[in-house]
C-alpha cells in the first residue's frame, strides 16, 4: 500500500489565496461603482486593460520560468494587482500606459522576485510609481466629477480616447487637477484655504466632490474585510489615525495654510490605500506590533509627501518606502514565544 507523506502545512486555514483575492475583489465593487458613477467609463476601461495586461504578463513570465500557468493565473493575485493599479490611474489615460504599468508591476515587482509570496514591494504601487515618474503630465490629467463637468465623455468617447488619443472635446476643457493637487498648487500661490474653497465647485463638504463618496464606498468595503478577518485592523487604523492626527495638528496650528484632516482622508487614495494596498499580506509587516508601526509609517510618510513633497498624493510612495522597512520591522517586533524571554 502506498503511504503518502505530504510536506507541511498539514492543517490548513479557511482562507486560501483564491478566497482572499476573491473577497478583496468583491469588496472593491461598491467603490468601483461609485468611481464609475462620478468619473465615467474610463475607470472600467482602465480596469479591463490593466487586468488583461497583468494576466498576460503573468502568463509570459510563468512560461519563461517553466512554472505551471493555471494555478497561478487562477489564484486572483494578478487580477487584484491590475484592479488596484487601474483605480489609481486617471480615467482617460492612454491604453498603452495602463498596459505598461500593469506589465511592469507584474514582471519587475512580482515575477522577477520569485512570484507571489516573494515580492518585496507591492506590484500595483510599483507600476503606478513607474508611470507617475515616467509620464507626470498624463498621470495628473484627471476628469472632474460628472456632477460638475460642463462636458463629459460617454463610453464610446472614453474608449476612442484611450485607444486613439482623439479627445472627445478640447482636452484642456474636460481635464483638471485632483482636489489634493488643486489645494497644493493654490497654497503655493499664497492663497488661503478659505479663499481656495470659496465658490470652488471641486471642493465638497468634507473632501473633493465625488471623491468623498468614492472613499466612503471603499471604507465600507474595507470595514467588511476587517469584520471577515481577511485583513487585520492594525494597518488601516494606524495609517488613517496617523495621517488624521498629523493633519489635525497642522490644521489647528494654522487652518488657513493646511487642509483639514477630513479633507486629507476623503480627497485622495488614503482610504483605498489603508484597506486594500498597505495591507498586502506579502509586502507589509506581519507581526501585530509591526503592522501598527508599518501603518503609522505609511500614514506619516503620506502626510509628509502631500504637505512638503513634490507630489499631491503620497500613498504609493509611502507604501513602497515602508515595504523596504517591513522585514526589519518584523525582525524587531516578533511576539515573545512561550517559555522564552523578550529580546
Amino acid at each position: 500500500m502506498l503511504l503518502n507523506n505530504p510536506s507541511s502545512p498539514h492543517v490548513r486555514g479557511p482562507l486560501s489565496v483564491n478566497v482572499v483575492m476573491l473577497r478583496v475583489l468583491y469588496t472593491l465593487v461598491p467603490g468601483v461603482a461609485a468611481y464609475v458613477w462620478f468619473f465615467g467609463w474610463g475607470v472600467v476601461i482602465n480596469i479591463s486593460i490593466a487586468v488583461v495586461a497583468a494576466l498576460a504578463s503573468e502568463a509570459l513570465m510563468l512560461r519563461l520560468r517553466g512554472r505551471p500557468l493555471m494555478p497561478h493565473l487562477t489564484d486572483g493575485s494578478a487580477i487584484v494587482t491590475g484592479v488596484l493599479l487601474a483605480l489609481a490611474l486617471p480615467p482617460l489615460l492612454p491604453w498603452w500606459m495602463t498596459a505598461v504599468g500593469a506589465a511592469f508591476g507584474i514582471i519587475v515587482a512580482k515575477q522577477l522576485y520569485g512570484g507571489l509570496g516573494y515580492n518585496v514591494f507591492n506590484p500595483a504601487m510599483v507600476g503606478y510609481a513607474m508611470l507617475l515618474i515616467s509620464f507626470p503630465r498624463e498621470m495628473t490629467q484627471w476628469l472632474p466629477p460628472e456632477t460638475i463637468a460642463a462636458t463629459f465623455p460617454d463610453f464610446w468617447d472614453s474608449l476612442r480616447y484611450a485607444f486613439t488619443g482623439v479627445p472627445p472635446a478640447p482636452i484642456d476643457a474636460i481635464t483638471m487637477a485632483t482636489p489634493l493637487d488643486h489645494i497644493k498648487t493654490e497654497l503655493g500661490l499664497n492663497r488661503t484655504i478659505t479663499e481656495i474653497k470659496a465658490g470652488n465647485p471641486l471642493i465638497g463638504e468634507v473632501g473633493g466632490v465625488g471623491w468623498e463618496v468614492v472613499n466612503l464606498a471603499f471604507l465600507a468595503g474595507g470595514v467588511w474585510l476587517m469584520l471577515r478577518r481577511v485583513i487585520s485592523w492594525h494597518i488601516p487604523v494606524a495609517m488613517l489615525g496617523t495621517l488624521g492626527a498629523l493633519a489635525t495638528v497642522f490644521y489647528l496650528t494654522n487652518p488657513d495654510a493646511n487642509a483639514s484632516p477630513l479633507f486629507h482622508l476623503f480627497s485622495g487614495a488614503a482610504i483605498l490605500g489603508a484597506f486594500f494596498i498597505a495591507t498586502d499580506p506579502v509586502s507589509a509587516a506581519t507581526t501585530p506590533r509591526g503592522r501598527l508601526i508599518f501603518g503609522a509609517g505609511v500614514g506619516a510618510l503620506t502626510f509628509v509627501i502631500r504637505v512638503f513633497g513634490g507630489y499631491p498624493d503620497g500613498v504609493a510612495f509611502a507604501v513602497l518606502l515602508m515595504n523596504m522597512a517591513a522585514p526589519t520591522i518584523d525582525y524587531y517586533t516578533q511576539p515573545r514565544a512561550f517559555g522564552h524571554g523578550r529580546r
Side-chain angles (χ1 to χ4, degrees), residues 2-3 5 32 39 41 66 77 121 145 148 242 253 276 284 292 315:
L2 178 63
L3 296 175
N5 185 25
V32 172
F39 295 97
W41 291 102
S77 60
F121 300 100
I148 64 172
T242 303
T253 303
F276 295 97
L292 289 174
V315 172

Side-chain angles (χ1 to χ4, degrees), residues 116-329:
L116 183 64
Y118 298 94
N119 51 291
V120 177
F121 300 100
N122 185 296
M125 292 301 96
V126 169
Y128 175 80
M130 185 278 290
L131 289 174
L132 186 60
I133 294 170
S134 304
F135 312 103
R137 179 174 175 274
E138 291 79 1
M139 288 289 287
T140 53
Q141 288 184 333
W142 280 80
L143 282 172
E146 187 175 9
T147 51
I148 64 172
T151 57
F152 202 79
D154 59 18
F155 175 78
W156 295 110
D157 284 339
S158 300
L159 191 67
R160 183 177 62 176
Y161 184 77
F163 282 91
T164 67
V166 177
I171 195 64
D172 290 340
I174 62 170
T175 58
M176 59 194 306
T178 63
L180 282 173
D181 197 1
H182 180 71
I183 290 279
K184 189 179 183 70
T185 302
E186 294 295 316
L187 286 175
L189 299 175
N190 294 322
R191 298 188 67 197
T192 66
I193 293 291
T194 304
E195 292 172 342
I196 297 169
K197 286 186 174 179
N200 191 330
L202 191 61
I203 310 298
E205 295 295 327
V206 296
V209 170
W211 293 90
E212 49 198 8
V213 178
V214 171
N215 277 301
L216 281 173
F218 283 132
L219 177 63
V223 170
W224 191 91
L225 279 181
M226 286 199 306
L227 294 177
R228 295 301 303 268
R229 300 183 182 276
V230 177
I231 61 174
S232 74
W233 60 270
H234 301 78
I235 291 177
V237 170
M239 177 187 165
L240 296 178
T242 303
L243 176 61
L246 288 173
T248 300
V249 170
F250 277 75
Y251 179 72
L252 293 178
T253 303
N254 188 356
D256 269 340
N258 296 283
S260 71
L262 287 177
F263 193 84
H264 274 281
L265 295 176
F266 288 95
S267 295
I271 291 179
L272 176 67
F275 288 97
F276 295 97
I277 297 173
T279 52
D280 179 5
V282 178
S283 58
T286 56
T287 65
R289 281 192 299 150
R291 286 170 176 162
L292 289 174
I293 296 170
F294 181 90
V298 174
L301 286 170
T302 299
F303 182 79
V304 169
I305 294 170
R306 283 182 176 183
V307 176
F308 304 106
Y311 294 99
D313 201 346
V315 172
F317 290 109
V319 169
L320 293 176
L321 289 171
M322 289 307 296
N323 285 161
M324 296 170 62
T328 303
I329 293 172

